[in-house]
Amino acid sequence: MPGMKNQFLRPNILQAFECSAVPNSKITSLYHLIICSAIYHLWRERNDRKFGGSYVSSTTLALKIKSVVLAKILKWKNGHSLMELL
């Protein structure tokens, strides 16, 4: 996300949401979707590791997050125009 380049340290979740706000509401929605999807899937992976004894690699988890985001934005009106941002 463009606003994250100005962060010197790792931002917390609230700072990530603030940095992702841009004038175009579709792009802001895309950035918020990415942040929320990453948080959700990281939480699920944490729970699967801690309580289920199973795990996936970080690459597989990143691909899962990307596929979920792609599937969601394809359902949006004019979602194909946002594909180039990913």
Side-chain angles (χ1 to χ4, degrees):
M1 291 184 280
M4 301 295 276
K5 293 178 184 176
N6 299 330
Q7 298 286 330
F8 294 113
L9 302 173
R10 284 186 239 159
N12 61 30
I13 295 171
L14 294 176
Q15 290 170 331
F17 276 109
E18 289 172 2
C19 289
S20 65
V22 293
N24 186 343
S25 65
K26 276 287 193 186
I27 295 174
T28 301
S29 296
L30 173 65
Y31 290 157
H32 288 178
L33 175 66
I34 292 169
I35 293 168
C36 291
S37 296
I39 291 169
Y40 174 76
H41 285 349
L42 286 169
W43 173 73
R44 288 292 309 231
E45 178 62 22
R46 179 247 180 218
N47 284 349
D48 287 345
R49 286 180 184 207
K50 184 165 182 140
F51 303 115
S54 65
Y55 64 93
V56 296
S57 69
S58 58
T59 305
T60 305
L61 185 60
L63 289 173
K64 184 187 292 188
I65 293 168
K66 186 173 182 176
S67 68
V68 166
V69 169
L70 285 173
K72 184 69 174 179
I73 65 169
L74 287 176
K75 294 180 182 178
W76 290 355
K77 183 179 178 182
N78 299 327
H80 294 285
S81 62
L82 296 173
M83 295 279 289
E84 63 192 32
L85 295 174
L86 298 177

